[in-house]
Amino acid sequence: MLHPLFNDMLEIGNDLGFEMTMITNGSMITAENINYLAEKLKLIGISVDSSDEQIQLKMGRGCGSHVQNTLDTINLIKNVGIPLKINTVVTLLNYQENMKNFIEFIQPQRWKVFQYLPILNQNDKFNERFQITDFQFKNFQKMHKNIRLVGGILPVFESNEDMTNSYLMISPSGKIVSNIDGKYDFKDIKSIGKKQFADLIDFTKYTSRGSV
């Protein structure tokens, strides 16, 4: 939402027939723009990695009031009827936290939980601070796997293995991005034929996380 052409992109996406959604920390959603967003977006995802203000602060989110600000933003979203998604990244700072009461209080339509994913030359300088083991991620999943969201939907958990080679991403410069072998690989979109798109992602992984 910091992009000066944010509204233009929403308009263009809708004109082209895309179902537009966004993931945000929620800090720029206001009472003044929420009705406009409700017209243009099919879903809003809010990044919430903890229900503890101090943990959020250590993660670099907000200035000590991120959780309360998030709850205020969620009220705005729900009041205009936009479906809500919560994204949570599990790291060394929050893998032992039980977020059950918090998530059930928010009642999102979807909760996606990601294992911290190291990417070479992107976030690897933070690995010592944030990276967790598969075992630690599975323990977090075990604590939360039976939570029921709106309509009885279950949370979706994505391990490092699940995320690798399962997203079709386009960079701001217009290149196709793949995340094979723990690093980003950039390909010129004009150099890729239609049949080659199928080789860019693992179709089984892509469909197994409800991406169609």
Side-chain angles (χ1 to χ4, degrees):
M1 295 184 74
L2 290 169
H3 199 290
L5 298 178
F6 174 74
N7 287 358
D8 300 79
M9 291 189 284
L10 285 186
E11 298 286 346
I12 291 169
N14 275 275
D15 289 345
L16 291 172
F18 283 101
E19 290 196 353
M20 304 291 286
T21 71
M22 73 172 179
I23 305 297
T24 172
N25 64 15
S27 62
M28 293 188 69
I29 295 177
T30 66
E32 288 70 36
N33 63 23
I34 191 64
N35 288 309
Y36 173 76
L37 296 176
E39 293 176 2
K40 303 300 178 183
L41 294 169
K42 298 293 184 183
L43 175 145
I44 292 180
I46 303 288
S47 297
V48 185
D49 298 325
S50 173
S51 59
D52 185 305
E53 295 284 17
Q54 291 307 305
I55 291 178
Q56 291 281 18
L57 192 59
K58 289 177 182 177
M59 287 182 167
R61 290 199 186 277
C63 301
S65 58
H66 181 68
V67 176
Q68 185 55 55
N69 291 340
T70 297
L71 292 173
D72 294 341
T73 300
I74 287 171
N75 282 334
L76 288 174
I77 293 169
K78 289 194 167 188
N79 285 342
V80 294
I82 307 176
L84 173 69
K85 173 185 176 184
I86 298 296
N87 275 6
T88 298
V89 179
V90 184
T91 72
L92 275 177
L93 295 176
N94 66 345
Y95 79 94
Q96 298 182 81
E97 180 182 354
N98 190 331
M99 294 180 66
K100 182 177 185 293
N101 291 339
F102 183 74
I103 294 297
E104 288 183 340
F105 174 74
I106 292 174
Q107 274 295 287
Q109 272 78 7
R110 197 167 196 207
W111 185 30
K112 289 197 77 172
V113 182
F114 305 92
Q115 181 180 359
Y116 172 83
L117 179 65
I119 298 289
L120 186 65
N121 298 324
Q122 295 289 325
N123 64 355
D124 44 324
K125 64 182 179 180
F126 299 108
N127 288 351
E128 185 176 341
R129 183 179 175 189
F130 292 127
Q131 188 173 3
I132 60 172
T133 65
D134 293 343
F135 180 76
Q136 288 167 329
F137 181 71
K138 286 177 181 176
N139 278 344
F140 187 93
Q141 180 176 350
K142 189 183 297 183
M143 257 196 298
H144 299 91
K145 66 180 181 179
N146 294 321
I147 291 177
R148 291 296 189 273
L149 311 175
V150 172
I153 300 296
L154 292 169
V156 175
F157 298 89
E158 293 191 13
S159 66
N160 287 175
E161 174 63 25
D162 295 327
M163 285 183 277
T164 302
N165 204 27
S166 72
Y167 280 84
L168 181 59
M169 300 179 285
I170 303 176
S171 75
S173 63
K175 294 183 181 295
I176 296 293
V177 187
S178 61
N179 62 343
I180 303 170
D181 298 328
K183 62 182 179 180
Y184 283 151
D185 183 34
F186 296 85
K187 294 182 173 65
D188 191 327
I189 193 169
K190 293 180 180 179
S191 69
I192 300 172
K194 288 184 179 179
K195 290 184 179 179
Q196 289 175 288
F197 270 96
D199 299 326
L200 294 174
I201 59 171
D202 185 317
F203 185 73
T204 301
K205 287 185 180 181
Y206 184 83
T207 54
S208 68
R209 57 183 180 79
S211 297
V212 175

